[in-house]
Amino acid sequence: MKLKNITQLLLLATVILFLAPSCVKEGPIGLTGPAGADGKDGKDANETCKMCHNPTKVEAIAAQYEFSKHSFGAASEEETGRVDCAPCHQSEGFKYVIKNNISTVFTATNGVYSNPYTATAATSFGPFECSTCHSSLHSTYGSSDLPALTTTAPVPMTFFGGAKTINLPQNGGESHLCVRCHQPRPFTRSNATDKNLLDYAALKSSPTAIFYDAAQSNTLNVMKPSYRTGTHYGTAGAIFAGIGGIEFGTGYTNSPHTTKASCQNCHMADVTTNSSNVASKGLAGGHSFVAKNNFVGCNTTNCHSASPITSATTSKYWKQTRDDVKLLLDQLAAKLKVNGVEIMSRNGDSESNLWYGLTTNNYDGYLNIYDPSSNANGGAYNATMFQNPSPSGSWTQAQKDTNTALPKITLTNAQMGAIINFQLCLREYSLGIHNTAYTKTLLTNTIAALN
């Protein structure tokens, strides 16, 4: 009975509390108290961002960059995870070797040399983006963030194992940012047990010595050539600086570009449009990095301002130089033969041959050698003395029958040096515009060395 009374009392109390607010009237609102002191003003982030993030700056740069091979090229995707390729093909790999000042000097472990200029497995990724080249973005959120470059230091060339350095001090050394990647890769002594850097000096000091002969023991050969033996593709920095060629003969000089211009002066000049720039949809300059038919950077004070270059007057400074170098490349390729067969590979496919049209026969810089993995449908030479069965056991009888009929390639030191020079001058892509004087002398002297 008592429990029932307690329950009723609790229920009554709950009802009263629920109804109470509706029964109570509030009094009038009191007077507003005095205002408190203003707090300290913060940074206006929105206004700071707009210094760069507006249609004429970052937004324009982003649009231009979409037409750059740094943006749409497939090399970054293809080389993901490869530590030896990442310093140039992966954003994080590039930043890693710069930040840690990774050496290009070959090092030996138990007598076997290797190139230490590599990234790590953890940094071998990432497409190129703004922070790849601009190291201070979003550091202070001020105007000083954007111009800072990831590196402006002279470049110890990996091609020479650090023995030679490219130093282009003009404009604060800004070219060094580009040259870090746009330089040739080294050749190594693949048939020697030490795997050390190739002795480039011997190629010109002992031009008639045998570099490679498929008929002799590999221990006597310096390096076994293959279809893909070469300087790789980024040779522009070496030619621009006048460093890297196997310099047969004498008389080497550099064009004024080497000391007066930077890569950015021409490749990042004010933006223009021209319908002949097919690859970039008519855009040139700015962050498209396209220089073709954009002469704004040329016609500046102390350069070509006295006699401006225009699309109508390119014959003197543009067309004639390119025609001359194209002819020299044709002549050198014609000299590079063994038993009447060309050493350099032709490729008439304008899609796969990045250098299509730069020579009459559309050479691509590769070697005319059968390779089951990368040149299975071509090659007039066989770089291997076949054994039966093959050491790897991977050759079919049809492949053996076909390739034993091919001549076994032999190369002298002079021929190997000429191959390197041909690749340097073809793959720098400008047909001598980067450094006319050096390019013409290098090719002319190389042709003479093969006589």
Side-chain angles (χ1 to χ4, degrees):
M1 187 67 180
K2 292 181 179 179
L3 180 61
K4 181 178 179 181
N5 291 338
I6 293 173
T7 301
Q8 291 175 337
L9 289 172
L10 289 174
L11 179 60
L12 178 61
T14 301
V15 171
I16 293 172
L17 288 173
F18 178 75
L19 296 174
S22 62
C23 300
V24 178
K25 294 183 179 180
E26 295 182 359
I29 299 174
L31 298 176
T32 302
D38 290 343
K40 184 179 180 181
D41 290 342
K43 292 183 178 180
D44 194 336
N46 185 50
E47 291 301 315
T48 303
C49 294
K50 288 195 295 186
M51 293 173 61
C52 296
H53 289 272
N54 60 66
T56 62
K57 291 189 178 180
V58 170
E59 291 173 26
I61 288 171
Q64 295 160 16
Y65 187 70
E66 291 300 310
F67 296 101
S68 163
K69 286 186 179 180
H70 287 151
S71 173
F72 67 75
S76 176
E77 296 177 6
E78 294 171 353
E79 308 302 342
T80 298
R82 300 184 61 176
V83 297
D84 54 339
C85 302
C88 288
H89 288 283
Q90 304 297 320
S91 178
E92 295 305 312
F94 177 76
K95 289 186 284 188
Y96 170 81
V97 296
I98 298 299
K99 179 181 178 180
N100 294 280
N101 195 28
I102 301 300
S103 175
T104 58
V105 179
F106 276 54
T107 57
T109 302
N110 298 324
V112 178
Y113 285 83
S114 62
N115 183 3
Y117 193 69
T118 65
T120 64
T123 58
S124 298
F125 72 95
F128 278 17
E129 55 187 9
C130 303
S131 65
T132 307
C133 297
H134 298 284
S135 59
S136 299
L137 292 181
H138 298 157
S139 294
T140 67
Y141 294 91
S143 59
S144 62
D145 285 0
L146 190 58
L149 300 178
T150 307
T151 180
T152 56
V155 181
M157 295 179 69
T158 182
F159 182 75
F160 290 105
K164 293 186 179 182
T165 297
I166 291 177
N167 187 12
L168 303 167
Q170 56 270 32
N171 296 345
E174 64 183 10
S175 292
H176 297 144
L177 175 68
C178 308
V179 172
R180 269 285 177 167
C181 289
H182 291 274
Q183 60 168 313
R185 294 184 64 181
F187 289 84
T188 56
R189 293 153 42 104
S190 60
N191 287 344
T193 57
D194 63 8
K195 310 299 180 185
N196 201 0
L197 192 70
L198 187 65
D199 184 1
Y200 302 114
L203 301 181
K204 61 180 180 178
S205 64
S206 304
T208 60
I210 296 298
F211 180 85
Y212 179 84
D213 185 351
Q216 71 180 8
S217 169
N218 275 339
T219 58
L220 299 176
N221 289 317
V222 178
M223 185 184 77
K224 178 183 174 181
S226 70
Y227 168 68
R228 292 179 64 89
T229 292
T231 59
H232 210 54
Y233 313 128
T235 65
I239 293 296
F240 179 62
I243 301 176
I246 309 303
E247 296 179 357
F248 297 103
T250 59
Y252 290 91
T253 59
N254 292 314
S255 297
H257 287 170
T258 304
T259 55
K260 287 189 174 183
S262 69
C263 304
Q264 289 84 341
N265 287 151
C266 294
H267 286 271
M268 299 185 72
D270 290 345
V271 173
T272 63
T273 57
N274 188 306
S275 60
S276 64
N277 295 325
V278 178
S280 60
K281 308 299 182 184
L283 184 71
H287 277 74
S288 75
F289 306 111
V290 175
K292 184 178 180 181
N293 295 319
N294 182 6
F295 302 109
V296 176
C298 307
N299 302 326
T300 58
T301 304
N302 297 323
C303 290
H304 295 280
S305 56
S307 180
I309 303 174
T310 67
S311 58
T313 62
T314 58
S315 58
K316 178 180 178 181
Y317 296 107
W318 179 263
K319 186 178 185 302
Q320 190 59 57
T321 294
R322 289 169 60 84
D323 287 347
D324 290 346
V325 172
K326 180 177 181 178
L327 178 60
L328 288 170
L329 285 169
D330 287 341
Q331 292 173 343
L332 178 53
K335 287 280 187 181
L336 277 169
K337 293 182 178 180
V338 174
N339 297 326
V341 181
E342 290 181 342
I343 295 172
M344 306 311 300
S345 171
R346 299 185 184 191
N347 182 358
D349 182 2
S350 60
E351 292 294 324
S352 61
N353 184 357
L354 300 178
W355 304 273
Y356 180 87
L358 295 188
T359 54
T360 301
N361 292 323
N362 292 316
Y363 299 102
D364 57 12
Y366 294 115
L367 302 189
N368 191 19
I369 293 177
Y370 173 86
D371 189 307
S373 61
S374 55
N375 194 29
N377 296 318
Y381 284 112
N382 166 26
T384 307
M385 285 299 291
F386 281 85
Q387 301 175 32
N388 193 5
S390 66
S392 65
S394 61
W395 300 102
T396 66
Q397 189 60 49
Q399 288 173 325
K400 294 176 189 177
D401 292 342
T402 300
N403 285 279
T404 51
L406 293 177
K408 306 300 187 294
I409 194 168
T410 59
L411 294 174
T412 64
N413 277 348
Q415 287 175 319
M416 187 61 206
I419 289 171
I420 293 174
N421 290 344
F422 183 89
Q423 292 171 333
L424 284 169
C425 295
L426 175 72
R427 291 176 169 174
E428 62 91 20
Y429 201 76
S430 77
L431 282 178
I433 299 299
H434 285 130
N435 192 341
T436 307
Y438 186 80
T439 303
K440 286 186 174 181
T441 301
L442 185 65
L443 289 173
T444 300
N445 288 1
T446 304
I447 292 168
L450 296 179
N451 289 334

